[in-house]
Amino acid sequence: MKFSSGWIYLIPALFLLLWNSIIPTLYVAWASTQRWYLTGLTITYVGLENYYRVLKDPTFIFSLGRTFTFMIICIAIEIVFGIVVAFLLLEQFRGNKLLQSVISIPFMIPPIAIGATWKLMLLPGRGPVPYLLSSIAGVNFDITTNGLHAFLAVIIMDVWHWTPFVALFIGAALSAVPLEYVESATVDGAKSYMRFRYVILPMIKQQLLLVILLRAMDLFRIFDEVWFLTGGGPGTATSFISIYLIRQILAEWNVGAGSVSSLVLLYVTLMLCWGALLIARIRR
Amino acid sequence: MKLFLRIRNILGVVVAILFLLFTLFPVYWLILTSFKTTLDIVSPTPVFLIDYVELKNYIDPFSGMVGPYLESLRNSLIIAVGSIIINLSLGFLAAYGFSRFKLKGDVHLFFWTLTNRMAPPAIFVIPYYMIYSYLHLLDTHVGLIIVYTVFNLPLTIWLLKGFFDSIPKDLEEAALVDGHSQWYVLTKIIIPLSKAGIAVAALFIFIFSWNEYCFAMMLTSLNARTLPSSLSGFVTSVWMQWGYLAAVATVSIIPGLILTFLLSRYILSGMTLGLAR
């Protein structure tokens, strides 16, 4: 078949993707240099003023810090739980396939419904979690007024949402580990911890790194479920970077500043994404 | 496999059961709440089992008594199906191109298409809002269909390319030698042989369009409002109708509940564009 004929198939899709990735990026880059409020009538060029204002804004710095703290805590919990569950899923037992499907439910349903579900679970005065916490531990768990409680709630929600995914991902990597290696280590007298640390871990290292990057990417841009559960509050306790951005647009109508935060969000995500693809390609 | 932790140990069983409970209880609680009476919902002592099934929470929102939920449900379906159709037509051709032709730089191009899937929706909100307001596409079905098509195209291309790669080239070459057209090859050989792949791609597009919230919230207001953005309307309403909220949320998770089982073999690779194996 002729060399040129192949492009005909690609052009419609590539055109759409190119339009989607280049035009919005250029648009945001241009908007970031304008003083532009949706409520005002004029758009003026202000150079780097928006960058200066956003990057010096204590709320922005706080959001960025919150996002990274949230990211690190969630990834740590999800990886540990994920590895434990992955080992259980490796076992051959009746209902294994069913179990794998059942635990996939959290990441197949709309994130906004997850926010709603956890709102029902955590609502002070009605939800089962605050009820049990106050009757067992005497803690007054209230996500609507206590910033720390809201932050913990968002972490629990994300762990619930994504641990099954991490477990399935690591499970797929574990099932590729050759059984002989593990067995010969057992014969050599390696304890289970040592088998994991020195035999299994090095063999799933890349997949582990890959799933960490994928999670980091998703956590960095988390929006839907947090928006529903806490709206970024109370105050700014759960105001992650996407929420900060949407607040800039919805509350301040500030397109220029919103564009600056958009670019920050875009570049951090792209770096994580390139990292993930790089690892994936090295393995091929 | 004698690895690390085993399900036959008591510890393994306990961990497995706790994890299953942790995963399922919130879903159970959501569905249970949707069938509770208002009295049970607001009770200060949570009610874990109900003996009376209240259907009012479903009937009111979906019969048009409160809120636009019936319209939202219809919009969600129209937009998901519309995006499946456009997405599959474009993705099918592109996947065929990537699978069958050796083009200069096509590997880089293929990976570049995948990065498109990973970009955070929130950053596209400003440019899409502005461009759509010029083009009068705000709050239209077509507008959201275009957005969802673009965002799911990489997934379709990647999924279908995998299926096409497994179809031997000989069949097509034989058909071409026999004097059949390229169109004949696509419609009579490739489509019938990759039916499974097309179905999987369609279901994934459905679920991603159905679940999406950020764009739906910013780009629609009334006419093209989807179920997730209607659902979020509950947050801002002054009087919280928890029963309605639970019922609408339960309806919104139904496709996910069903497709989890239908797609179970493909979920992991579909969610990660093949990065997991």
Side-chain angles (χ1 to χ4, degrees):
Chain A
M1 284 177 231
K2 281 216 310 272
F3 167 75
S4 59
S5 63
W7 288 101
I8 292 168
Y9 295 96
L10 299 179
I11 283 165
L14 290 182
F15 174 76
L16 244 169
L17 289 173
L18 210 63
W19 145 276
N20 179 58
S21 64
I22 290 176
I23 302 215
T25 318
L26 290 179
Y27 197 97
V28 171
W30 170 76
S32 72
T33 62
Q34 311 293 318
R35 183 183 296 138
W36 181 359
Y37 289 89
L38 286 175
T39 43
L41 292 170
T42 52
I43 303 173
T44 18
Y45 175 77
V46 289
L48 295 178
E49 193 196 275
N50 287 321
Y51 288 84
Y52 184 73
R53 278 182 45 200
V54 170
L55 299 178
K56 271 195 71 172
D57 179 8
T59 330
F60 175 77
I61 306 292
F62 181 80
S63 288
L64 211 57
R66 266 289 142 118
T67 313
F68 277 110
T69 319
F70 173 65
M71 205 161 106
I72 291 165
I73 297 176
C74 286
I75 291 176
I77 301 176
E78 284 162 22
I79 290 291
V80 172
F81 281 8
I83 289 176
V84 171
V85 176
F87 275 108
L88 296 177
L89 290 177
L90 268 188
E91 299 272 339
Q92 296 302 316
F93 58 90
R94 272 176 63 188
N96 181 315
K97 284 277 170 286
L98 186 71
L99 186 69
Q100 293 199 15
S101 294
V102 168
I103 65 168
S104 310
I105 289 173
F107 57 85
M108 292 292 279
I109 62 180
I112 204 79
I114 290 176
T117 305
W118 282 92
K119 198 149 194 154
L120 293 172
M121 292 279 293
L122 296 170
L123 206 74
R126 297 201 183 115
V129 175
Y131 173 76
L132 290 177
L133 280 176
S134 76
S135 55
I136 295 169
V139 185
N140 184 19
F141 192 82
D142 188 348
I143 57 164
T144 55
T145 54
N146 188 320
L148 178 69
H149 290 177
F151 191 62
L152 287 175
V154 176
I155 291 174
I156 295 170
M157 180 168 67
D158 197 76
V159 167
W160 179 81
H161 189 173
W162 288 107
T163 302
F165 169 79
V166 175
L168 291 176
F169 197 102
I170 295 175
L174 281 178
S175 59
V177 173
L179 213 54
E180 309 89 72
Y181 288 29
V182 184
E183 274 163 3
S184 66
T186 318
V187 173
D188 292 346
K191 292 274 185 294
S192 62
Y193 162 73
M194 295 181 46
R195 285 204 297 271
F196 178 69
R197 173 67 187 79
Y198 296 104
V199 182
I200 298 167
L201 200 56
M203 300 191 76
I204 61 165
K205 203 172 54 188
Q206 276 179 339
Q207 287 297 76
L208 217 50
L209 200 56
L210 207 53
V211 77
I212 289 174
L213 282 172
L214 286 176
R215 287 305 303 128
M217 219 157 65
D218 269 347
L219 283 162
F220 194 73
R221 65 183 180 198
I222 190 167
F223 177 73
D224 301 6
E225 59 261 57
V226 180
W227 183 250
F228 195 103
L229 184 67
T230 66
T236 51
T238 53
S239 169
F240 302 126
I241 203 80
S242 280
I243 289 177
Y244 173 84
L245 160 61
I246 296 293
R247 275 181 169 179
Q248 271 176 330
I249 303 170
L250 287 184
E252 299 170 27
W253 300 101
N254 191 342
V255 178
S259 300
V260 174
S261 349
S262 295
L263 287 174
V264 172
L265 188 60
L266 175 67
Y267 285 112
V268 174
T269 321
L270 273 186
M271 279 188 303
L272 293 168
C273 173
W274 284 333
L277 288 177
L278 208 65
I279 295 171
R281 290 179 82 169
I282 288 168
R283 290 176 55 253
R284 298 229 158 102
Chain B
M1 205 190 245
K2 273 190 182 161
L3 288 169
F4 187 57
L5 190 67
R6 310 202 52 191
I7 202 151
R8 287 183 194 85
N9 297 346
I10 295 294
L11 184 66
V13 175
V14 170
V15 171
I17 289 173
L18 282 180
F19 185 71
L20 201 60
L21 271 179
F22 174 62
T23 306
L24 287 181
F25 184 76
V27 179
Y28 166 75
W29 188 254
L30 173 71
I31 298 172
L32 184 78
T33 307
S34 74
F35 290 113
K36 278 183 185 172
T37 57
T38 313
L39 207 60
D40 278 349
I41 293 172
V42 299
S43 142
T45 329
V47 179
F48 290 92
L49 286 170
I50 49 171
D51 45 19
Y52 173 74
V53 173
E54 173 72 279
L55 292 176
K56 190 173 169 292
N57 296 327
Y58 286 90
I59 294 166
D60 288 359
F62 290 105
S63 65
M65 294 253 297
V66 272
Y69 301 104
L70 196 63
E71 288 90 330
S72 302
L73 189 66
R74 203 195 59 206
N75 289 337
S76 271
L77 285 171
I78 293 175
I79 289 165
V81 171
S83 125
I84 288 175
I85 294 168
I86 303 180
N87 200 325
L88 277 182
S89 350
L90 296 176
F92 179 84
L93 291 178
Y96 187 72
F98 275 123
S99 170
R100 286 298 187 262
F101 300 93
K102 278 280 147 283
L103 304 171
K104 209 178 269 178
D106 64 346
V107 180
H108 298 282
L109 216 51
F110 183 64
F111 269 95
W112 171 78
T113 61
L114 298 190
T115 55
N116 271 276
R117 165 106 199 121
M118 312 287 184
I123 60 166
F124 291 97
V125 161
I126 293 175
Y128 265 101
Y129 188 87
M130 296 304 163
I131 294 167
Y132 272 21
S133 66
Y134 291 132
L135 299 175
H136 299 290
L137 283 174
L138 282 179
D139 202 18
T140 60
H141 295 117
V142 179
L144 272 191
I145 290 175
I146 293 173
V147 177
Y148 294 164
T149 299
V150 169
F151 272 85
N152 291 320
L153 203 49
L155 174 78
T156 317
I157 296 176
W158 175 81
L159 260 175
L160 288 179
K161 181 182 179 293
F163 277 91
F164 293 164
D165 285 346
S166 66
I167 300 173
K169 271 186 175 175
D170 311 354
L171 284 170
E172 295 154 70
E173 276 159 13
L176 287 175
V177 168
D178 287 350
H180 291 296
S181 65
Q182 193 72 50
W183 175 252
Y184 177 91
V185 170
L186 283 182
T187 52
K188 293 276 153 42
I189 298 176
I190 302 293
I191 290 182
L193 284 177
S194 54
K195 257 186 277 178
I198 293 170
V200 170
L203 292 179
F204 268 115
I205 302 163
F206 183 89
I207 206 83
F208 286 127
S209 315
W210 179 271
N211 288 357
E212 205 282 333
Y213 169 66
C214 196
F215 283 117
M217 171 189 76
M218 299 300 281
L219 300 180
T220 68
S221 49
L222 209 69
N223 295 328
R225 213 169 190 209
T226 60
L227 207 52
S229 60
S230 279
L231 192 58
S232 76
F234 279 108
V235 184
T236 46
S237 63
V238 185
W239 40 280
M240 272 284 198
Q241 286 288 1
W242 298 106
Y244 295 158
L245 169 74
V248 177
T250 303
V251 170
S252 80
I253 70 171
I254 290 173
L257 291 183
I258 298 170
L259 296 190
T260 301
F261 294 95
L262 283 181
L263 286 172
S264 60
R265 267 179 59 204
Y266 302 97
I267 284 180
L268 193 58
S269 54
M271 297 279 300
T272 61
L273 297 170
L275 294 181
R277 47 170 67 183

